[in-house]
Amino acid sequence: MKYLVLGAGVALGLYATAAAAETPLMAPIHQFIDSFDKGDEKTAAKAFAPGGVAIIDEVAPHLWTGAHALQQWSKDLMADSGKEGLTDESVTLGTPTREDVNGDRGYLVVPATFAFKQKGAAMSEAAQMVVALKQSGGHWLITGWAWAGGTPQPATAAAK
């Protein structure tokens, strides 16, 4: 019986740790990434604060700001992907490594992996995504994000 109680306590502790790891700040980030990966830019845009955002990414011109930043970044990203022969692009998010909440403002650092095919070859890029958020109407919304990625590697080499 004591092993059953101990086992239940350990399981509950693991559940609490896993639940705590998924911070409410991640909700809009998942909405953005998951929707964008599916090609649903309209739903992805709902994760962002109205009035404009700031985006920093490795794709030229590297900085987008304002009310249409997401749409312009998306257009530039798609053009770059076409030019570089990228297909099957997706981002997988890890567990946040840093979270700061100051009133209605939040800051989050999240490890991420960008998986894609380049001219048919499976590739992977390890990165960090840094996100600034604002709470509005009881929900967190993205006000800006930056992508800091490494050099893409063949997927088999990146997995080692």
Side-chain angles (χ1 to χ4, degrees):
M1 178 69 161
K2 74 177 180 181
Y3 293 113
L4 179 60
V5 171
L6 178 62
V10 169
L12 184 58
L14 290 174
Y15 173 77
T17 301
E22 189 61 28
T23 170
L25 296 178
M26 285 296 292
I29 301 166
H30 279 298
Q31 179 181 348
F32 162 52
I33 295 296
D34 296 346
S35 298
F36 196 82
D37 280 353
K38 294 176 188 171
D40 183 358
E41 192 173 315
K42 186 175 181 178
T43 300
K46 292 178 183 177
F48 290 84
V53 299
I55 298 171
I56 298 173
D57 197 2
E58 60 197 14
V59 174
H62 309 293
L63 174 65
W64 300 262
T65 61
H68 302 289
L70 179 65
Q71 293 80 6
Q72 189 59 49
W73 166 80
S74 176
K75 180 180 170 187
D76 293 338
L77 179 68
M78 295 305 137
D80 185 72
S81 293
K83 181 179 79 173
E84 297 296 324
L86 306 186
T87 60
D88 302 332
E89 298 163 274
S90 67
V91 171
T92 302
L93 299 171
T95 300
T97 57
R98 180 171 177 184
E99 173 185 352
D100 290 326
V101 175
N102 300 290
D104 68 346
R105 299 296 176 146
Y107 173 86
L108 202 63
V109 178
V110 182
T113 302
F114 176 42
F116 58 96
K117 289 184 180 174
Q118 186 167 25
K119 299 177 182 168
M123 302 290 287
S124 182
E125 176 186 329
Q128 295 285 317
M129 191 171 184
V130 178
V131 185
L133 303 106
K134 179 180 180 178
Q135 195 171 40
S136 178
H139 301 285
W140 288 101
L141 297 171
I142 299 169
T143 57
W145 62 267
W147 181 268
T151 302
Q153 302 290 321
T156 54
K160 291 181 183 178

